[in-house]
Amino acid sequence: MEERIATLRRILDGSTYTVALCGSGMMEEGGFAGIKGGDRAYEIEQKYGYSTEEIFTSGFYTARPMQFFDFYREEMLKNIPEATESGTVMAQMERDGKLQCVISSNIFEQGRRAGCRNMIYLHGSIYRNYCPKCGREYPMEYLRDAKGIPACESCGFPVRPGVYLFGEMVDSAMISRAVDEISKADVLLLLGTNLHSEVFGNYIKYFGGRYLIIIHKHSHYMDDIADMVFLDHPRRILPLLGYGDTGEKECE
């Protein structure tokens, strides 16, 4: 393992432009159980009477806002994953000029909370909410602590979570920015995701750089395409690279 870590460090130190793609495994390593997979999907349907794919949609938010927010508060806002050592290392790499951009499907802003600055959040953020009628913005705590439907204090309209719900199109400008970053990359890090990702699959094809590195707990047959694969949580691999302080303190 030491030799492989040393090789990865040399690759990163020699890179002209490094981009990290952070998938659901980053939320998993922070303690988030997810809302779609296996037992969790069954538990949610038994608890709420609807599947995750039905509840977490704009149609359900519009037609059944009370039930939508019951789900959103209990399953998302009260289960925010911790920022982990992965984010701390990436933030230090960014400060050292070793990491130029982080592209994430994480709506919990683990990267920003650990100190990363150049972030692209493809699926939005739980921390940036707004009234779709008047545009007034609200913090995450307003939705989390509301009794019933969190209504806009200006016009009374239900506040809209600042995340992309299932079936919604990601902003085209954000897609273009992500594609541009990946196309510039000399090294592409897949953290908590793999080449078979339904989120990142269409983005990875724009990578034409030298090294594709996967650090993910779960293996996949497509891993053979990568230059290096570490089958573990990123929080257990990235600190071994030796970039700065790898403590767990969060930076807001």
Side-chain angles (χ1 to χ4, degrees):
M1 174 63 82
E2 288 185 9
E3 183 177 342
R4 299 183 72 230
I5 291 295
T7 298
L8 178 56
R9 173 73 190 235
R10 285 195 297 271
I11 288 173
L12 293 171
D13 285 346
S15 173
T16 58
Y17 205 92
T18 298
V19 173
L21 304 183
C22 296
S24 59
M26 301 293 277
M27 295 186 286
E28 180 183 324
E29 73 172 21
F32 184 66
I35 58 174
K36 292 199 301 182
D39 293 341
R40 281 292 291 141
Y42 178 77
E43 290 171 7
I44 286 172
E45 187 159 1
Q46 292 298 304
K47 182 176 180 179
Y48 297 97
Y50 297 92
S51 69
T52 300
E53 287 76 9
E54 291 175 293
I55 300 175
F56 203 55
T57 63
S58 58
F60 206 92
Y61 157 81
T62 301
R64 299 180 177 88
M66 180 68 76
Q67 292 163 290
F68 174 88
F69 281 108
D70 284 345
F71 165 83
Y72 188 65
R73 268 190 296 268
E74 293 299 318
E75 308 303 332
M76 311 293 278
L77 302 187
K78 294 183 180 180
N79 289 295
I80 297 173
E82 298 176 356
T84 69
E85 300 93 331
S86 298
T88 306
V89 175
M90 288 193 293
Q92 185 61 49
M93 290 175 64
E94 190 179 67
R95 289 190 291 270
D96 292 345
K98 304 296 184 182
L99 180 62
Q100 280 64 48
C101 184
V102 179
I103 302 171
S104 178
S105 62
N106 181 345
I107 64 173
F108 299 106
E109 294 199 12
Q110 283 172 289
R112 180 193 64 79
R113 289 159 51 207
C116 295
R117 292 293 174 260
N118 190 16
M119 302 283 306
I120 299 175
Y121 287 106
L122 293 175
H123 293 168
S125 167
I126 64 168
Y127 297 100
R128 304 172 190 184
N129 310 287
Y130 64 95
C131 173
K133 186 174 182 180
C134 71
R136 182 169 174 175
E137 298 180 354
Y138 290 89
M140 177 275 293
E141 292 79 7
Y142 186 79
L143 276 65
R144 184 195 63 195
D145 300 336
K147 304 300 181 183
I149 301 169
C152 176
E153 295 178 334
S154 297
C155 66
F157 205 84
V159 175
R160 175 61 155 80
V163 301
Y164 285 91
L165 304 177
F166 291 158
E168 293 183 324
M169 297 294 292
V170 176
D171 178 74
S172 59
M174 189 182 301
I175 293 175
S176 295
R177 184 184 168 204
V179 167
D180 181 61
E181 291 291 338
I182 291 169
S183 65
K184 291 189 296 187
D186 184 42
V187 174
L188 188 63
L189 295 173
L190 274 60
L191 307 178
T193 187
N194 56 39
L195 292 165
H196 189 61
S197 166
E198 62 181 82
V199 176
F200 294 116
N202 287 329
Y203 292 93
I204 295 171
K205 65 184 181 183
Y206 292 98
F207 175 64
R210 293 192 298 166
Y211 296 104
L212 180 63
I213 314 294
I214 297 174
I215 306 177
H216 190 28
K217 179 71 172 178
H218 310 291
S219 64
H220 191 271
Y221 72 88
M222 291 180 67
D223 290 350
D224 291 342
I225 299 174
D227 295 284
M228 296 190 76
V229 178
F230 296 84
L231 294 178
D232 207 338
H233 286 304
R235 72 182 300 174
R236 293 175 57 86
I237 298 297
L238 292 179
L240 300 178
L241 293 169
Y243 288 111
D245 179 16
T246 56
E248 295 189 9
K249 183 179 180 180
E250 292 186 7
C251 300
E252 288 294 338

